[in-house]
Amino acid sequence: MIGLAGHALHIRRAFQKESSMTDVISSSRKTHTLTIAGIVDETPDAKSLIFSVPNEARETFTYLPGQFLTLQIPSERSGSVARCYSLSSSPIVDSNLMVTIKRTAGGYGSNWLCDNAAEGMQLNVLPPSGIFTPGSLDSDFLLIAGGSGITPVISIAKTVLSAGTGNVVLFYANRAAESVIFAREVDELSQRSPGRLSVKHWLESERGVPTSELLATEFAAAGIEREAFICGPGPFKDAAVSALRALGYDKSQIHLEIFNSLSGNPFDTSASLASSDSIPGTTVSAEITIGGDVHNIEWPIDVPLVQHLLNRGIDVPFSCQEGECGTCLATVNRGKARMLTNFVLDDDDITSGSILACQALPDCDDMIRIDFDA
């Protein structure tokens, strides 16, 4: 799972200004070893892994509802693979971290964890990342989940209902009743939050595949004065977005989370630590602000910013290094930078100066000023 949420970037910044958990987005990317403290069989194909966090790492693993963890999973072929899984726990309600994993056809990471994870097992984990998070817990929400897309959605729902004042409508689609993850927890949430949480289930076994037209009918009663968060398979996500736009939702109200597998491995530091030596005269002076610290560097014109900062031993927020997750979002306040790849930002984001630092190269001869904290 990797979060694509270009339309939600302004929400992320608003949350940073308002929340006491500001440091979550830019937390250290150093690997930590966490112990599996418990396993919950959610459905025949899905399990939740509960991680205990040592006291000395609790600040590092502070997180926002809707974020994800990146796990290092053993592999006989490559030594290890990295996979991202959404946190289904709430930072307000739950004392431990929990990720929920559903088997996927041909999916190495999910199947390995479902077959091999056990209490007491230790896994290497990167701190929480992701921008599929609400800007305010006091907004009204339409939370839309398909299948295992419920994972970050239930984290948002639990947090809003516990610590916010927002009204929540949860639409949850599944193929059949036996595949409904968190069925009991969703029912208990509804009973504990009368008047604040409305739950609508959709089972394909009974009603068929939900089309955009059918979804528009389902969503209409919720009204359009809400923040919509969508997580699920691609066709379901597309149908939900189409339905919302037909109802009059602005794109700024629609926040998307899409499941993807990393093609790279952020636990493999060899690529990040590759030489960034450049021919003299092929660097640009840059002032980089991260976590309140200002770094003045010479940035090679052919080395992406995140890689160059890591080469210099500078701690920088990142996860996928592929332009897919938005964790390395930064703002260009002076000069220009161009991106090699971009799956997250829309035209408005780019116009406002946003960049994905893992894909950014300098695109001017003068001083560049970039802020990860803006």
Side-chain angles (χ1 to χ4, degrees):
M1 178 283 306
I2 289 295
L4 280 75
H7 301 329
L9 296 182
H10 70 287
I11 294 296
R12 166 191 155 177
R13 292 196 176 102
F15 199 105
Q16 285 180 301
K17 293 175 182 177
E18 296 172 6
S19 173
S20 62
M21 296 190 285
T22 301
D23 293 336
V24 173
I25 297 289
S26 57
S27 59
S28 169
R29 306 310 303 154
K30 294 177 182 176
T31 300
H32 294 257
T33 301
L34 299 184
T35 301
I36 298 176
I39 297 178
V40 180
D41 292 320
E42 304 289 357
T43 71
D45 293 325
K47 293 184 177 183
S48 291
L49 308 184
I50 302 170
F51 289 98
S52 60
V53 180
N55 288 333
E56 62 271 18
R58 285 203 169 271
E59 183 176 353
T60 299
F61 280 90
T62 302
Y63 63 100
L64 302 176
Q67 290 193 301
F68 62 86
L69 293 182
T70 305
L71 310 184
Q72 186 177 29
I73 301 168
S75 169
E76 293 181 357
R77 289 186 296 178
S78 60
S80 72
V81 297
R83 295 292 184 266
C84 302
Y85 298 102
S86 293
L87 285 151
S88 50
S89 51
S90 162
I92 302 298
V93 176
D94 302 301
S95 56
N96 289 321
L97 304 178
M98 185 169 79
V99 297
T100 302
I101 298 151
K102 182 179 180 180
R103 290 184 183 275
T104 57
Y108 176 80
S110 60
N111 291 330
W112 190 95
L113 289 170
C114 285
D115 289 336
N116 296 284
E119 288 189 28
M121 176 181 288
Q122 293 186 322
L123 292 174
N124 290 331
V125 182
L126 293 180
S129 290
I131 57 176
F132 186 68
T133 62
S136 169
L137 300 181
D138 298 324
S139 299
D140 290 334
F141 296 90
L142 173 56
L143 305 180
I144 303 168
S148 58
I150 189 64
T151 308
V153 164
I154 198 167
S155 175
I156 294 171
K158 289 192 291 185
T159 306
V160 170
L161 294 171
S162 176
T165 61
N167 176 276
V168 179
V169 174
L170 169 61
F171 180 88
Y172 187 13
N174 282 278
R175 291 183 176 176
E178 59 269 19
S179 63
V180 179
I181 303 172
F182 307 129
R184 179 184 299 176
E185 187 168 7
V186 168
D187 184 58
E188 291 175 351
L189 273 177
S190 182
Q191 293 181 29
R192 290 199 304 266
S193 307
R196 289 193 62 204
L197 173 63
S198 172
V199 180
K200 298 182 178 183
H201 286 281
W202 180 291
L203 299 180
E204 289 185 17
S205 59
E206 298 176 0
R207 305 180 66 182
V209 176
T211 64
S212 59
E213 292 79 10
L214 293 172
L215 289 177
T217 301
E218 293 291 319
F219 300 160
I224 64 171
E225 301 299 323
R226 295 177 181 271
E227 296 294 323
F229 284 75
I230 308 169
C231 186
F236 173 78
K237 180 265 303 180
D238 292 341
V241 171
S242 178
L244 293 175
R245 294 308 301 261
L247 290 172
Y249 273 74
D250 186 80
K251 69 176 184 178
S252 65
Q253 295 174 267
I254 302 173
H255 315 293
L256 311 176
E257 184 82 331
I258 299 176
F259 290 98
N260 250 330
S261 291
L262 296 175
S263 57
N265 189 343
F267 294 95
D268 180 4
T269 60
S270 59
S272 295
L273 296 178
S275 173
S276 62
D277 293 338
S278 299
I279 300 172
T282 60
T283 63
V284 173
S285 297
E287 180 183 284
I288 313 296
T289 301
I290 308 174
D293 295 328
V294 178
H295 306 273
N296 290 290
I297 64 172
E298 290 299 313
W299 180 9
I301 62 172
D302 57 349
V303 180
L305 181 57
V306 165
Q307 180 179 326
H308 183 57
L309 292 171
L310 292 173
N311 292 342
R312 294 175 58 88
I314 298 172
D315 200 13
V316 57
F318 77 95
S319 185
C320 72
Q321 287 193 271
E322 297 168 5
E324 294 185 342
C325 73
T327 302
C328 62
L329 178 71
T331 302
V332 179
N333 291 325
R334 175 179 171 177
K336 292 178 61 179
R338 62 183 178 91
M339 289 180 288
L340 299 171
T341 304
N342 169 33
F343 298 102
V344 177
L345 305 179
D346 62 17
D347 290 341
D348 291 340
D349 297 320
I350 294 171
T351 299
S352 70
S354 295
I355 59 167
L356 302 174
C358 74
Q359 298 296 310
L361 297 175
D363 196 28
C364 64
D365 297 327
D366 299 326
M367 160 74 74
I368 300 178
R369 185 174 291 120
I370 295 177
D371 192 347
F372 282 83
D373 303 338

